[in-house]
Amino acid sequence: MSYPLKEQTGISKSKAHHTLQQMENQLRLIDQKLKVHVDREVWMHFQNEIHQIDFTKSSIEKMRV
């Protein structure tokens, strides 16, 4: 007497939940890294603009003298 083989066509609900949790954690980490990178880029741009403004003010002051 032979028994038919049981065909498994997917993963368990708990395995799927675990995998999705791992993906969520990875996405959260990526999001944090991107925010830090954007914050740094914005800060560098801001500093550059401030430097340009200070340079322009200084140049105008020198022209007045």
Side-chain angles (χ1 to χ4, degrees):
M1 177 179 227
S2 67
Y3 295 98
L5 293 175
K6 183 178 178 184
E7 192 175 320
Q8 189 171 356
T9 59
I11 60 174
S12 69
K13 185 176 179 180
S14 63
K15 176 71 174 167
H17 180 72
H18 179 72
T19 301
L20 288 173
Q21 186 66 44
Q22 287 178 323
M23 291 170 66
E24 181 183 4
N25 293 340
Q26 290 174 350
L27 287 172
R28 187 178 299 115
L29 181 61
I30 291 168
D31 183 54
Q32 289 172 349
K33 287 181 178 183
L34 284 173
K35 284 179 182 176
V36 166
H37 179 74
V38 168
D39 287 348
R40 187 179 321 123
E41 290 291 322
V42 168
W43 178 250
M44 289 172 56
H45 183 73
F46 174 77
Q47 291 290 13
N48 188 36
E49 293 299 317
I50 293 297
H51 176 72
Q52 292 293 331
I53 290 169
D54 289 344
F55 179 78
T56 303
K57 284 180 178 179
S58 176
S59 297
I60 290 171
E61 289 297 319
K62 288 177 182 176
M63 289 173 42
R64 287 184 176 174
V65 175

